[in-house]
């Protein structure tokens, strides 16, 4: 760690002499190395070593250690700012600038408001009534024409009867056509109703089949057998047993007896296991367990089964 020492009385006396001032000035102007200048720029301080014998000042970097016969000195590269000077007098006014270019023509002003309506002028004088014209003469009355002969009534009645009969026949044809069309419409509506019922029945059957297929479970018509498919596996179930395939295991279950096949082995669970038609106890309480070496498993000798089934046999 560098310790910045204050100038001792000897150095202070030397530095106060004219020779020391000259030496210091020369050292400051000529002897300042690039490292010292860089240090002053970076830290704002100037580092130097003063020789105790000759008083020579050597500008060094901030990391340089002075020799045993030298005293380290540090001072600010820039002095403390002095107080602000008095405000100077106001300078003379500058010459008048040249006239600026003419500005653009301003926008057209808004249209003024409509003036008030002038007063109504006086009514003009009524003109004179014109003279009434003379009435025209009445024309003479024309002579009355002779009365025509009376037509035969029998012909009119016959024509009316014929037209009435034709109308009756036409109405009968219209009624028959309407009845035929009504019967045809009834038959068509019956066919449409039957077709709709058949399609509805077919759609219901199709929908039921689709639902049964998409529900991930198929069930037999009697409901005793089913096949379920899920993300975890497949289950084939019957009245008394099931087969489950899930992950790495396959489990066959029938009335409490299980066979489990897994990557680690096969586990058989049941009250009666038949092998080659013969029976024999599998493991009973009290049975003796002897290892191949003649010693008991885990005990250094023979061992006795303390827990096990007394009803499990192999036949």
């Amino acid at each position: 760690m560098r310790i910045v020492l204050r100038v001792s009385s000897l150095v202070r006396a030397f530095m106060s002499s004219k020779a020391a001032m000259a030496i210091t000035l020369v050292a400051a102007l000529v002897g300042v190395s690039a490292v010292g200048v860089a240090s002053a720029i970076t830290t704002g301080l100037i580092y130097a070593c003063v020789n105790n014998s000759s008083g020579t000042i050597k500008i060094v970097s901030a990391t340089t250690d002075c020799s045993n016969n030298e005293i380290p000195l540090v001072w600010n590269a820039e002095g403390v700012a002095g107080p602000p000077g008095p405000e100077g007098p106001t300078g003379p006014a500058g010459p008048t600038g040249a006239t600026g270019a003419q500005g653009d023509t301003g926008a057209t002003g808004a249209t003024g408001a409509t003036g008030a309506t002038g007063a109504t002028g006086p009514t003009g004088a009524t003109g004179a009534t014109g003279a009434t014209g003379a009435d025209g003469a009445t024309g003479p009355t024309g002579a009355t024409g002779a009365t025509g002969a009376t037509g035969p009534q029998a012909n009119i009645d016959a024509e009316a009867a014929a037209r009435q009969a034709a109308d009756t026949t036409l109405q009968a044809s219209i009624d028959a056509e309407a009845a035929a069309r009504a019967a045809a419409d009834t038959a068509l509506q019956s066919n449409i109703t039957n077709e709709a019922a058949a399609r509805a029945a077919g759609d219901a059957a199709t929908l039921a089949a689709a639902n049964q297929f998409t529900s991930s479970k198929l069930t037999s018509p009697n409901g005793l057998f089913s096949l379920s498919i899920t993300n975890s596996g497949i289950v084939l179930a019957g009245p008394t047993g099931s087969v489950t395939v899930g992950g790495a295991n396959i489990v066959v279950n029938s009335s409490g007896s299980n066979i489990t096949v897994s990557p680690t082995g096969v586990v058989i669970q049941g009250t009666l296991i038949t092998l080659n038609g013969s029976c024999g106890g599998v493991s009973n309480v009290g049975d003796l367990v002897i290892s191949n070496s003649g010693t008991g498993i885990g005990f250094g000798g023979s061992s006795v089964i303390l827990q096990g089934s007394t009803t499990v046999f192999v036949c």
Side-chain angles (χ1 to χ4, degrees), residues 58-136:
K58 179 176 63 177
I59 305 300
V60 297
S61 66
T63 58
T64 302
D65 294 328
C66 295
S67 302
N68 293 332
N69 63 336
E70 293 177 334
I71 296 175
L73 292 179
V74 179
W75 65 89
N76 292 330
E78 182 178 353
V80 179
E87 184 177 354
T90 303
T96 302
T99 302
Q102 182 176 353
D104 297 333
T105 302
T108 303
T111 303
T114 302
T117 302
T120 303
T123 302
T126 303
T129 303
T132 302
D135 293 333

Side-chain angles (χ1 to χ4, degrees), residues 111-186:
T111 303
T114 302
T117 302
T120 303
T123 302
T126 303
T129 303
T132 302
D135 293 333
T138 302
T141 303
T144 303
T147 303
T150 302
Q153 185 65 36
N155 293 336
I156 295 175
D157 293 339
E159 180 67 20
R163 291 186 178 183
Q164 180 66 36
D167 292 342
T168 301
T169 302
L170 178 61
Q171 184 63 44
S173 299
I174 293 173
D175 293 341
E177 180 68 17
R181 290 188 179 184
D185 292 342
T186 301

Side-chain angles (χ1 to χ4, degrees), residues 36-301:
V37 172
S39 175
I41 294 174
T42 302
T43 64
L45 300 175
I46 298 177
Y47 298 85
C49 294
V50 180
N51 190 289
N52 292 332
S53 301
S54 63
T56 301
I57 298 176
K58 179 176 63 177
I59 305 300
V60 297
S61 66
T63 58
T64 302
D65 294 328
C66 295
S67 302
N68 293 332
N69 63 336
E70 293 177 334
I71 296 175
L73 292 179
V74 179
W75 65 89
N76 292 330
E78 182 178 353
V80 179
E87 184 177 354
T90 303
T96 302
T99 302
Q102 182 176 353
D104 297 333
T105 302
T108 303
T111 303
T114 302
T117 302
T120 303
T123 302
T126 303
T129 303
T132 302
D135 293 333
T138 302
T141 303
T144 303
T147 303
T150 302
Q153 185 65 36
N155 293 336
I156 295 175
D157 293 339
E159 180 67 20
R163 291 186 178 183
Q164 180 66 36
D167 292 342
T168 301
T169 302
L170 178 61
Q171 184 63 44
S173 299
I174 293 173
D175 293 341
E177 180 68 17
R181 290 188 179 184
D185 292 342
T186 301
L188 178 60
Q189 184 62 41
S190 177
N191 292 336
I192 293 174
T193 302
N194 294 336
E195 179 68 17
R199 290 188 179 184
D203 293 342
T206 303
L207 181 60
N211 290 336
Q212 185 180 24
F213 180 77
T214 57
S215 62
S216 300
K217 184 176 181 180
L218 298 177
T219 305
S220 63
N222 60 7
L224 298 179
F225 303 92
S226 64
L227 174 62
S228 299
I229 302 176
T230 64
N231 292 334
S232 59
I234 302 174
V235 178
L236 177 63
T240 60
S242 64
V243 177
T244 302
V245 179
N249 298 336
I250 300 176
V251 179
V252 180
N253 179 277
S254 178
S255 300
S257 298
N258 298 325
I259 299 177
T260 301
V261 180
S262 67
T264 59
V266 179
V267 178
I268 302 176
Q269 296 177 336
T271 57
L272 181 63
I273 302 174
T274 301
L275 298 176
N276 298 327
S278 61
C279 298
V282 176
S283 61
N284 298 312
V285 176
D287 287 349
L288 184 64
V289 179
I290 301 176
S291 65
N292 292 335
S293 61
T295 59
I297 299 175
F299 296 95

